[in-house]
Amino acid sequence: MTIPLDYNAMPDDAFRRELRAWIEANYPEEKRSPPRRLVYAEIEDWFQALSKKGWLAPGWPVEHGGMGLGPSKYVIYVEEMERHGCARLPDHAIQMVGPLLINYGDAAQKAKYLPRILAGEDIWCQGYSEPNAGSDLASLRTEAVRDGDDYVVNGQKIWTTLAHSANWIFMLVRTDKAAVRPQRGISFLLAPLTAKGVTVRPITNLKGDQDFCEVFFDNVRVPVANLVGKENEGWAMAKALLGYERIFLGTPRLPGYSLNRLRLLCEELGAFEDTAVLDQFTQHRLDVRDLTSAFEGYIEHIRNGGEVGPDVSFLKIWATEVNQRITDTMIEVAGDLGGFREDIAVGNAEVDVMSEFLRARTSTIYGGSNEIQRGVIAKNVLGLPT
Amino acid sequence: MAAYGTVDCGLASLATNPPEHLTMLEESADALLTRHGDVGRVRAYRGKRPGFDRDVWREIAEAGWLGVLVPERDGGIGLGHLELCVLAERLGAALAPEPYVSVTALAISVISAADNAEARERLLPEALTGKLVPALAWRPDNGSDVTLDRAANALTGRKSLVSPVAGADGFLVSANTPDGMAAFWVPRDADGLSVETDLLADGSFSGRLSFAGAPAGEPLFRDSASAGKAFEQAVERARLAASAEMLGVMKQAFDMTRDYLQQRTQFGRPLAGFQTIQHRLADLFIQHRLACASVLEAIRTMEGGAEARVAAAAVSAAKARSSDAGLKIVREAIQLHGAIGYTDEYDIGLFLKRALVLSAWLGNAKFHRRRFAMLDPVV
């Protein structure tokens, strides 16, 4: 047995070089920067390569099969994956279920689920949002009622990303309807999507893709052994799972990608001859440039052992709204082709104008809508009254 | 110093690995400036010569701030652009009428770089101790520039947008010569120099100089290239420092507005409790953070020994962002204050006027966006 490397002890540059070389040698070229979320079957080869290398779970402790990276090395990991255009994996289990079980699960749960996650045998999805519990997540009503050694689950989850390619769901359920505050009656439950009474229905989004789903629970029996942590303490665990990784909601990568597409479009159309277009483009460039400076400044702060505070929301707001403005300009510059559904052919290139425009709509909604993020800044940074 | 990311943080708190002395510098700047009054102090100098307090100027000199970028062997304190910017930011937050950025970044930068040792050793100590207030005259007036009549060793022509002017004791004037650009020191009371002033929105002055055979004296630089380089460097520094001064202006205006909205009650609750107000304040907070990030990036670039073109592009990005962010914040600050914000008596309007002057000075946002695109072209 080989002793796992202590990556945290490596110099940053060496760690970065090693990651980069291996990614370049192993990432499937045709899957760089895919235009939509890929399901497991489409990215299995890369998933398995990472798994065999032991690099699938950068943040998990080494004893659970992760890389055990601290924040500064974790940041480099993400930067290198993004730099190469690696597709985002179906990573709910790696990002959420792993940390949840490692922090709050019992020994049997860790032994049962963690190895299967790393092997790609189980694909997990996240059951949080409900039709009437979106931004106000604590009002969720999917109910788990104790009956012997089982919970009986009834209700509905929605916007469940990639549920149609998953076989497990980790979900927040209501276990106490009489709790004084709605947050106090919520528990974390793990449920197989293969159980009797579960129905998964994919939802077609504005782009025409099926990234997210509805999941219905009709008298689904889930063993009590699948409860994580204590009953009615799920909310606090869910909040604690929002770690420093949320800084990546504000990555300059998304607007950076759109900006490159806009540049290609402008070049092929000769649109930079138009001073108004060039001015607009420069504004976008500077918006992305200053975002990058702010983002890197924040990353440095984390690298130096700093905390991620509620102010981090400003990166997400700016990144996603800059991204939308860039795609607005793409539609405008495309002129009469701005209504075309498929990629448009201009000069020697094909540009995904509509696809980028539509994709950018989701970014201001997911991960806590930008309205919620503004509320976080107002209350938790500026100290304004609730 | 405020903790990273909190509502109180500014340049010093957001800088990566700030030197230990930065906190002290920030605190001593605030202490010095508040000792002389609050932001309303500027009212006493509006439209009045020299436009600032000579005693405060002397204290600023004694604190060493005028020589922040001047090497210690030349009588300065030999610090960097980060310190220059933190000082400029604090002066901005205090709405100090003293012409710190223009004198330090423009005039003293040029004097300090002068390779005419006699002139440098005569002017620099006087400038650093605050006895002499120098100003850089580098902008031609409507296409008419200053030229050197070599036979008479005298200057003829016009300069504009000179700052400071009302309190300036003399001018470092760039002039066209048959060998290219040269620079000369012309005392304010020199024969053949007439000085006119234009009043700016914040009550400070901008100058127009007319030279009609004013004696030129010895050139400050041995050749055109070194003079040109010194002037360019000075202007870039001033653009950067003006961006930092704007950070202080916008942040203080933001803080005043936030405080006001928490105190002002309508419909039975503080205005700051309304979501429409909260989201607008959140947007202004974002603008300030972006502007800080942009200025810090420009500081890094200037300090990192980047080639001139790259540094200039970074400075343009910072000046464009801080000008836009500053104007947005002060405009919103007036609106969020309501009618009281439109009175001369209430201080918030002072921020609007300073921001208008700072954003237009040395190139506004549109100018610098276009300059950025020229310096760092897409194609």
Side-chain angles (χ1 to χ4, degrees):
Chain A
M1 178 176 163
T2 54
I3 298 167
L5 275 171
D6 182 2
Y7 294 110
N8 295 311
M10 281 173 84
D12 283 358
D13 283 351
F15 179 64
R16 190 183 290 281
R17 274 198 306 276
E18 186 174 335
L19 274 172
R20 187 175 296 186
W22 190 83
I23 292 168
E24 282 171 0
N26 289 278
Y27 190 80
E29 189 61 29
E30 71 283 5
K31 286 173 191 163
R32 289 179 73 170
S33 301
R36 60 175 172 80
R37 284 297 292 272
L38 302 181
V39 299
Y40 177 73
E42 293 168 309
I43 196 73
E44 184 175 3
D45 43 359
W46 175 235
F47 189 105
Q48 288 298 333
L50 282 166
S51 174
K52 289 193 182 69
K53 180 77 177 166
W55 284 4
L56 187 59
W60 293 15
V62 174
E63 67 262 34
H64 294 297
M67 296 173 82
L69 302 186
S72 70
K73 291 292 190 298
Y74 186 96
V75 162
I76 293 173
Y77 178 96
V78 175
E79 283 171 352
E80 286 306 308
M81 292 290 172
E82 289 195 344
R83 197 193 63 83
H84 194 72
C86 299
R88 189 172 159 197
L89 297 167
D91 56 2
H92 284 119
I94 295 153
Q95 297 294 343
M96 316 262 321
V97 183
L100 175 72
L101 293 180
I102 289 163
N103 286 311
Y104 305 104
D106 58 35
Q109 289 171 336
K110 287 178 201 171
K112 176 175 176 187
Y113 298 111
L114 296 179
R116 293 178 58 84
I117 289 171
L118 292 174
E121 288 166 18
D122 290 335
I123 301 298
W124 289 76
C125 60
Q126 175 186 11
Y128 277 23
S129 293
E130 297 182 5
N132 290 308
S135 291
D136 180 16
L137 185 60
S139 69
L140 61 88
R141 286 190 304 201
T142 294
E143 193 179 19
V145 178
R146 185 78 179 257
D147 180 30
D149 289 336
D150 290 337
Y151 285 106
V152 178
V153 180
N154 279 288
Q156 181 191 353
K157 295 292 176 183
I158 197 166
W159 322 129
T160 318
T161 302
L162 302 182
H164 52 322
S165 73
N167 59 338
W168 280 84
I169 186 167
F170 64 102
M171 58 195 301
L172 292 172
V173 291
R174 182 152 304 282
T175 38
D176 181 1
K177 284 198 276 193
V180 194
R181 294 178 62 233
Q183 288 85 347
R184 296 224 182 119
I186 294 172
S187 302
F188 241 119
L189 206 57
L190 313 176
L193 290 173
T194 48
K196 187 164 173 289
V198 177
T199 309
V200 176
R201 192 173 74 83
I203 300 169
T204 302
N205 65 25
L206 286 182
K207 280 177 69 185
D209 295 329
Q210 295 186 334
D211 290 345
F212 50 38
C213 301
E214 289 175 287
V215 185
F216 299 90
F217 297 85
D218 180 16
N219 286 318
V220 177
R221 297 194 80 86
V222 178
V224 171
N226 290 14
L227 175 75
V228 182
K230 291 197 180 121
E231 197 175 78
N232 296 328
E233 291 183 7
W235 187 257
M237 287 185 266
K239 276 185 83 171
L241 284 178
L242 298 171
Y244 61 81
E245 299 88 344
R246 70 204 148 106
I247 189 179
F248 295 108
L249 284 169
T251 172
R253 188 175 64 116
L254 284 182
Y257 175 81
S258 301
L259 189 70
N260 280 332
R261 304 310 287 171
L262 174 60
R263 168 157 61 192
L264 181 64
L265 183 69
C266 290
E267 281 171 0
E268 295 295 337
L269 290 172
F272 286 139
E273 302 295 314
D274 180 342
T275 312
V277 172
L278 184 59
D279 281 351
Q280 185 66 59
F281 184 80
T282 306
Q283 177 74 65
H284 294 323
R285 274 182 83 193
L286 291 170
D287 285 350
V288 175
R289 178 191 164 97
D290 291 340
L291 168 69
T292 307
S293 301
F295 183 80
E296 286 176 352
Y298 216 117
I299 293 279
E300 275 304 313
H301 163 71
I302 296 169
R303 257 198 243 281
N304 294 331
E307 301 273 319
V308 174
D311 64 310
V312 76
S313 290
F314 92 90
L315 295 171
K316 196 259 179 177
I317 295 171
W318 188 250
T320 54
E321 293 178 8
V322 167
N323 191 10
Q324 289 190 343
R325 290 199 293 272
I326 293 170
T327 63
D328 294 346
T329 304
M330 285 172 80
I331 295 282
E332 186 178 282
V333 170
D336 286 355
L337 308 186
F340 280 31
R341 178 180 153 150
E342 303 302 331
D343 297 357
I344 61 175
V346 285
N348 298 315
E350 296 216 330
V351 184
D352 45 351
V353 172
M354 187 57 66
S355 175
E356 272 301 285
F357 176 85
L358 292 174
R359 183 184 57 75
R361 301 306 103 189
T362 64
S363 61
T364 50
I365 300 168
Y366 65 53
S369 76
N370 286 18
E371 288 69 30
I372 291 291
Q373 307 275 358
R374 284 185 168 84
V376 167
I377 289 177
K379 293 181 175 76
N380 299 336
V381 183
L382 307 184
L384 306 183
T386 50
Chain B
M1 189 161 69
Y4 187 97
T6 58
V7 65
D8 294 322
C9 70
L11 267 187
S13 309
L14 294 171
T16 300
N17 300 322
E20 274 178 32
H21 62 250
L22 209 59
T23 309
M24 230 170 62
L25 192 71
E26 191 184 38
E27 284 169 2
S28 64
D30 286 340
L32 191 158
L33 293 165
T34 50
R35 203 158 56 235
H36 293 280
D38 61 16
V39 293
R41 181 167 74 88
V42 67
R43 284 197 181 83
Y45 304 97
R46 292 190 295 188
K48 296 197 184 101
R49 298 187 167 83
F52 61 91
D53 186 336
R54 279 274 188 175
D55 291 334
V56 176
W57 190 250
R58 211 159 24 244
E59 284 187 41
I60 285 175
E62 279 162 15
W65 303 353
L66 297 178
V68 65
L69 292 176
V70 177
E72 284 179 276
R73 62 167 189 279
D74 293 331
I77 55 175
L79 297 173
H81 293 90
L82 179 58
E83 290 85 354
L84 168 71
C85 285
V86 165
L87 288 170
E89 181 195 38
R90 303 328 304 158
L91 281 133
L95 291 182
E98 286 69 34
Y100 176 71
V101 170
S102 56
V103 171
T104 301
L106 286 175
I108 290 180
S109 283
V110 166
I111 296 173
S112 167
D115 48 24
N116 175 334
E118 184 279 319
R120 188 183 67 240
E121 283 159 20
R122 177 165 44 85
L123 296 173
L124 191 54
E126 295 269 291
L128 290 178
T129 51
K131 290 193 195 90
L132 179 84
V133 177
L136 199 67
W138 61 289
R139 304 279 297 264
D141 184 24
N142 274 332
S144 159
D145 206 347
V146 171
T147 55
L148 175 72
D149 173 352
R150 183 158 281 171
N153 198 38
L155 300 171
T156 306
R158 296 203 303 270
K159 291 287 184 185
S160 69
L161 298 170
V162 179
S163 165
V165 61
D169 299 315
F171 304 95
L172 295 146
V173 186
S174 61
N176 295 319
T177 77
D179 305 319
M181 175 188 158
F184 302 92
W185 169 254
V186 182
R188 186 193 183 88
D189 54 10
D191 290 336
L193 167 61
S194 67
V195 179
E196 287 171 279
T197 56
D198 296 304
L199 190 60
L200 301 179
D202 65 349
S204 67
F205 298 97
S206 171
R208 279 174 287 127
L209 311 183
S210 296
F211 297 86
E218 286 290 307
L220 296 172
F221 294 87
R222 98 175 77 82
D223 57 34
S224 167
S226 52
K229 201 173 154 221
F231 272 65
E232 267 171 40
Q233 183 189 47
V235 172
E236 292 309 316
R237 283 176 175 176
R239 284 170 168 151
L240 176 64
S243 306
E245 187 175 352
M246 184 69 112
L247 291 178
V249 173
M250 72 176 84
K251 184 57 171 49
Q252 196 63 35
F254 175 82
D255 288 347
M256 269 189 71
T257 305
R258 183 175 65 107
D259 289 347
Y260 178 78
L261 293 168
Q262 284 179 304
Q263 284 155 21
R264 168 87 172 156
T265 300
Q266 290 286 275
F267 307 104
R269 57 184 170 133
L271 286 175
F274 289 90
Q275 197 173 51
T276 183
I277 302 288
Q278 295 190 346
H279 285 196
R280 284 171 75 169
L281 286 175
D283 281 329
L284 302 184
F285 170 81
I286 294 172
Q287 289 300 312
H288 173 247
R289 283 294 291 271
L290 281 173
C292 283
S294 195
V295 169
L296 285 168
E297 176 65 20
I299 291 170
R300 266 194 299 278
T301 311
M302 293 280 271
E303 286 287 317
E307 67 174 286
R309 196 182 174 85
V310 174
V315 168
S316 274
K319 182 69 168 73
R321 176 66 61 196
S322 72
S323 297
D324 272 344
L327 284 181
K328 180 179 169 69
I329 287 176
V330 294
R331 280 195 311 257
E332 294 263 317
I334 300 294
Q335 172 66 22
L336 292 168
H337 273 82
I340 192 81
Y342 195 65
T343 62
D344 184 55
E345 185 190 345
Y346 203 79
D347 288 343
I348 196 70
L350 300 173
F351 291 88
L352 173 76
K353 291 177 176 177
R354 178 59 57 85
L356 282 164
V357 170
L358 273 176
S359 64
W361 189 42
L362 301 172
N364 65 12
K366 181 176 177 180
F367 170 89
H368 280 288
R369 280 194 299 271
R370 287 189 167 171
R371 182 169 178 262
F372 176 86
M374 221 167 60
L375 291 165
D376 186 6
V378 267
V379 278

